[in-house]
Coordinates of all heavy atoms in Angstrom, one line a residue:
Chain B
G348 N -46.0 48.4 8.5 CA -46.8 48.6 9.8 C -46.2 49.8 10.5 O -45.8 50.8 9.8
N349 N -46.0 49.7 11.8 CA -45.3 50.9 12.5 C -43.9 50.6 12.7 O -43.3 51.4 13.6 CB -46.1 51.2 13.8 CG -46.3 50.1 14.7 OD1 -45.6 48.9 14.3 ND2 -47.0 50.1 15.8
Q350 N -43.3 49.5 12.1 CA -41.9 49.3 12.4 C -41.0 50.4 11.6 O -41.4 50.7 10.5 CB -41.5 48.0 11.9 CG -42.3 46.8 12.4 CD -42.0 45.6 11.6 OE1 -41.1 44.8 12.0 NE2 -42.8 45.2 10.7
S351 N -39.9 50.8 12.2 CA -39.0 51.6 11.6 C -37.8 50.9 11.3 O -36.8 51.3 10.5 CB -38.8 52.9 12.3 OG -38.2 52.6 13.7
V352 N -37.6 49.8 12.0 CA -36.4 48.8 11.8 C -36.9 47.5 11.3 O -37.6 46.8 12.1 CB -35.5 48.8 13.1 CG1 -34.3 47.8 12.7 CG2 -35.0 50.2 13.3
I353 N -36.5 47.0 10.2 CA -36.9 45.7 9.8 C -35.6 44.9 9.5 O -34.9 45.3 8.4 CB -37.9 45.6 8.5 CG1 -39.2 46.4 9.0 CG2 -38.2 44.2 8.2 CD1 -40.2 46.6 7.9
N354 N -35.2 44.0 10.3 CA -34.1 43.2 10.0 C -34.4 41.8 9.4 O -35.4 41.3 9.9 CB -33.2 42.8 11.3 CG -32.7 44.1 11.9 OD1 -32.3 45.1 11.1 ND2 -32.5 44.2 13.0
I355 N -33.8 41.5 8.4 CA -34.2 40.2 7.6 C -33.0 39.2 7.6 O -32.0 39.6 7.3 CB -34.7 40.7 6.2 CG1 -35.9 41.5 6.2 CG2 -35.1 39.3 5.5 CD1 -37.3 40.8 6.7
T356 N -33.4 38.0 7.8 CA -32.5 36.9 7.5 C -32.8 36.2 6.1 O -34.0 35.6 6.1 CB -32.3 35.9 8.5 OG1 -32.0 36.6 9.8 CG2 -31.3 34.8 8.3
M357 N -32.1 36.3 5.2 CA -32.4 35.7 3.9 C -32.1 34.2 4.0 O -31.0 33.8 4.4 CB -31.7 36.3 2.7 CG -31.9 37.8 2.5 SD -33.7 38.2 2.1 CE -33.6 37.8 0.3
E358 N -33.0 33.4 3.5 CA -32.7 31.9 3.3 C -32.4 31.5 1.8 O -33.0 32.0 0.8 CB -34.1 31.1 3.7 CG -34.4 31.4 5.2 CD -33.5 30.9 6.2 OE1 -32.7 30.0 5.8 OE2 -33.5 31.4 7.3
Q359 N -31.5 30.5 1.8 CA -31.1 30.1 0.5 C -32.1 29.3 -0.2 O -32.9 28.6 0.4 CB -29.8 29.3 0.6 CG -28.6 30.1 1.0 CD -27.6 29.3 1.7 OE1 -27.7 28.1 1.7 NE2 -26.6 29.9 2.2
E360 N -32.2 29.4 -1.4 CA -33.0 28.5 -2.2 C -32.3 27.9 -3.5 O -31.3 28.6 -3.9 CB -34.3 29.1 -2.6 CG -34.1 30.2 -3.6 CD -35.4 30.7 -4.4 OE1 -36.5 30.3 -3.8 OE2 -35.3 31.1 -5.5
S361 N -32.5 26.8 -3.9 CA -31.9 26.3 -5.1 C -30.4 26.5 -5.2 O -29.9 26.8 -6.2 CB -32.6 27.0 -6.3 OG -34.0 27.1 -6.2
I362 N -29.8 26.2 -4.1 CA -28.4 26.5 -4.0 C -27.6 25.6 -5.1 O -26.7 26.1 -5.7 CB -27.8 26.2 -2.7 CG1 -28.1 24.8 -2.2 CG2 -28.3 27.2 -1.7 CD1 -27.2 24.4 -1.0
G363 N -28.1 24.3 -5.3 CA -27.5 23.5 -6.2 C -27.3 24.1 -7.6 O -26.2 23.9 -8.1
L364 N -28.3 24.7 -8.1 CA -28.3 25.1 -9.4 C -27.2 26.3 -9.6 O -26.5 26.4 -10.7 CB -29.6 25.7 -9.8 CG -30.7 24.8 -10.0 CD1 -31.9 25.5 -10.4 CD2 -30.3 23.9 -11.1
E365 N -27.0 27.1 -8.6 CA -26.1 28.2 -8.9 C -24.7 27.9 -8.4 O -23.8 28.8 -8.5 CB -26.7 29.5 -8.2 CG -28.1 29.9 -8.8 CD -27.9 30.1 -10.4 OE1 -26.9 30.4 -10.8 OE2 -28.9 29.6 -11.0
E366 N -24.5 26.8 -7.9 CA -23.2 26.5 -7.4 C -22.1 26.7 -8.5 O -22.4 26.3 -9.6 CB -23.2 25.1 -6.9 CG -22.4 24.8 -5.6 CD -22.6 23.4 -5.1 OE1 -23.8 23.0 -4.7 OE2 -21.7 22.7 -5.2
I367 N -21.0 27.1 -8.1 CA -19.8 27.2 -8.9 C -19.0 25.9 -8.5 O -18.7 25.8 -7.4 CB -19.1 28.5 -8.8 CG1 -20.0 29.5 -9.2 CG2 -17.8 28.4 -9.8 CD1 -20.2 29.8 -10.8
V368 N -18.5 25.1 -9.5 CA -17.7 24.1 -9.1 C -16.3 24.3 -9.8 O -16.2 24.8 -10.9 CB -18.2 22.6 -9.4 CG1 -19.5 22.4 -8.6 CG2 -18.5 22.5 -10.8
T369 N -15.3 23.7 -9.1 CA -14.0 23.7 -9.7 C -13.8 22.6 -10.8 O -14.3 21.4 -10.4 CB -13.0 23.5 -8.6 OG1 -13.3 24.4 -7.5 CG2 -11.6 23.7 -9.1
I370 N -13.3 22.9 -11.8 CA -13.0 21.9 -12.9 C -11.6 22.0 -13.2 O -10.9 22.9 -12.7 CB -13.9 22.1 -14.1 CG1 -13.7 23.5 -14.7 CG2 -15.4 22.0 -13.8 CD1 -14.4 23.8 -16.1
G371 N -11.1 21.2 -14.0 CA -9.8 21.3 -14.4 C -9.2 22.6 -15.0 O -9.9 23.1 -15.9
Y372 N -8.4 23.3 -14.3 CA -7.9 24.7 -14.7 C -8.9 25.7 -14.9 O -8.9 26.6 -15.8 CB -7.1 24.5 -16.0 CG -5.9 23.6 -16.0 CD1 -6.1 22.3 -16.5 CD2 -4.7 23.9 -15.4 CE1 -5.0 21.4 -16.4 CE2 -3.7 23.0 -15.4 CZ -3.8 21.7 -15.8 OH -2.8 20.8 -15.8

Side-chain angles (χ1 to χ4, degrees):
Chain B
N349 54 6
Q350 303 171 86
S351 59
V352 176
I353 299 176
N354 294 329
I355 297 289
T356 302
M357 300 293 282
E358 296 295 336
Q359 292 159 7
E360 65 162 25
S361 314
I362 56 167
L364 282 182
E365 295 309 321
E366 222 174 292
I367 297 284
V368 296
T369 309
I370 58 173
Y372 302 99

